Amino acid sequence: VPENVTGHMTVEPDISGLSERLLLARRQYFGIGAQSDARFRRFRSTIAATWKTQTLDLTAAGLGPLAADVLVEELLGLPPSHRPWLLHLDRNMLGDAGAVALARLLRASPTTQSLSASSNCIGPRGALEIFEALLQDCSLTSLDLSSGGTPAERNVIARGHERPAITALAKVLQRSPALSILRLGATAIGPEAAAELSAALPLSSSLMELSLPSNGLGPAGAAAIAEGAAHAQSLETLNLTGNDIGDAGAAAIGEKLFAASGVARPEATSRPPSPLLRPPSPSRPPSPSVRPT
């Protein structure tokens, strides 16, 4: 009898009905032909191995919303000790409906520690469902909803002035005792949503990495994030690359960090400022050989 990662003796779960239930989704989302068959076999074998490693990796497996819903049903049918702690579902076609299914899994499986669902066509509604699930008793420590690839694959969590997902995320940052890594690159956050997130950063007790590249923040949005980050309790890494910050934005970020550090900003001098932002050393008295007489 195999032994799982927690050290308890377990038996392999029965997944005999998995293929039949997924056949409905297969034709629509996996297509037909040899490539489709290969993807489907990989899907089944990965599910079968989940109980051994506590990790489910279905990156670029061609999953659509219906397949995601069936997948979540199957996972919730497993004993809690067999459910994966780490979910890698990047570069699929989950959409909002698939995100709703993932939110159902998060609510019912508080032991899930990491969810990576980048580039999945998830919109504000799907993101809202995931963030609201995190407001419940959830131990998720890492969330990646960033985007890459073609525009059709990108996740978008904010559109214009409608930002309910951002509001929910701000509550997650304030209340979650576990979330330490948050990656939301290229998700159309924009400067106004950045200001809302910024207000929540000082209230987060666990966030250590915040990645917001390519979000169109501009100087104002970047400065707003820097304002919150400067007062964050645990933040160690902040990624704002590709946001058209410019010289003005970079200067504003520097000012925010200097102000929050409690260190006096070094004056212009012939010597470069300390990289650790320490105050300049007091001037030494003139050498005895040049003392005034």
Side-chain angles (χ1 to χ4, degrees):
V1 180
E3 190 175 55
N4 69 8
V5 294
T6 62
H8 300 293
M9 302 303 287
T10 61
V11 294
E12 185 170 359
D14 179 15
I15 61 166
S16 58
L18 184 62
S19 61
E20 289 80 5
R21 299 184 65 184
L22 280 174
L23 282 175
L24 295 175
R26 182 178 179 180
R27 183 175 297 275
Q28 184 174 1
Y29 296 108
F30 290 82
I32 57 177
Q35 185 177 11
S36 169
D37 291 342
R39 283 182 173 179
F40 192 69
R41 285 194 299 271
R42 179 190 173 201
F43 184 84
R44 290 196 63 208
S45 63
T46 303
I47 293 293
T50 296
W51 67 280
K52 298 177 181 178
T53 64
Q54 306 297 147
T55 300
L56 176 60
D57 189 348
L58 288 171
T59 300
L63 302 182
L66 181 56
D69 195 54
V70 176
L71 168 63
V72 168
E73 267 190 63
E74 292 299 328
L75 291 175
L76 291 179
L78 299 176
S81 62
H82 289 67
R83 295 175 191 169
W85 298 346
L86 313 177
L87 293 172
H88 301 288
L89 302 173
D90 307 286
R91 304 200 312 275
N92 282 289
M93 300 173 289
L94 300 183
D96 283 343
V100 171
L102 292 179
R104 189 166 76 251
L105 178 64
L106 291 175
R107 289 187 176 98
S109 298
T111 56
T112 304
Q113 296 179 5
S114 175
L115 171 60
S116 184
S118 62
S119 301
N120 261 290
C121 313
I122 297 173
R125 174 174 168 263
L128 175 62
E129 289 286 336
I130 291 175
F131 297 150
E132 287 186 338
L134 298 184
L135 289 172
Q136 299 187 12
D137 185 18
C138 184
S139 59
L140 198 76
T141 61
S142 176
L143 177 62
D144 186 350
L145 293 180
S146 56
S147 295
T150 67
E153 299 171 342
R154 291 177 184 166
N155 297 335
V156 176
I157 66 174
R159 286 197 178 103
H161 297 291
E162 297 295 326
R163 301 191 301 271
I166 294 294
T167 301
L169 177 57
K171 292 179 181 178
V172 171
L173 292 174
Q174 296 176 43
R175 301 177 189 177
S176 173
L179 187 64
S180 60
I181 298 174
L182 180 60
R183 295 169 179 162
L184 299 172
T187 51
I189 289 177
E192 294 181 358
E196 189 170 354
L197 287 180
S198 173
L201 292 179
L203 303 176
S204 172
S205 61
S206 60
L207 191 66
M208 299 178 67
E209 177 187 332
L210 177 61
S211 184
L212 301 173
S214 304
N215 268 295
L217 300 184
I225 290 293
E227 172 73 27
H231 298 279
Q233 303 175 44
S234 55
L235 192 65
E236 297 178 353
T237 301
L238 177 63
N239 183 355
L240 297 177
T241 58
N243 273 293
D244 298 321
I245 294 173
D247 292 343
I253 292 173
E255 291 292 343
K256 301 293 184 184
L257 296 178
F258 267 116
S261 69
V263 176
R265 193 176 190 277
E267 299 295 334
T269 175
S270 58
R271 295 181 300 173
S274 167
L276 299 179
L277 303 184
R278 292 173 178 162
S281 301
S283 299
R284 293 181 178 179
S287 167
S289 61
V290 294
R291 286 186 186 276
T293 57

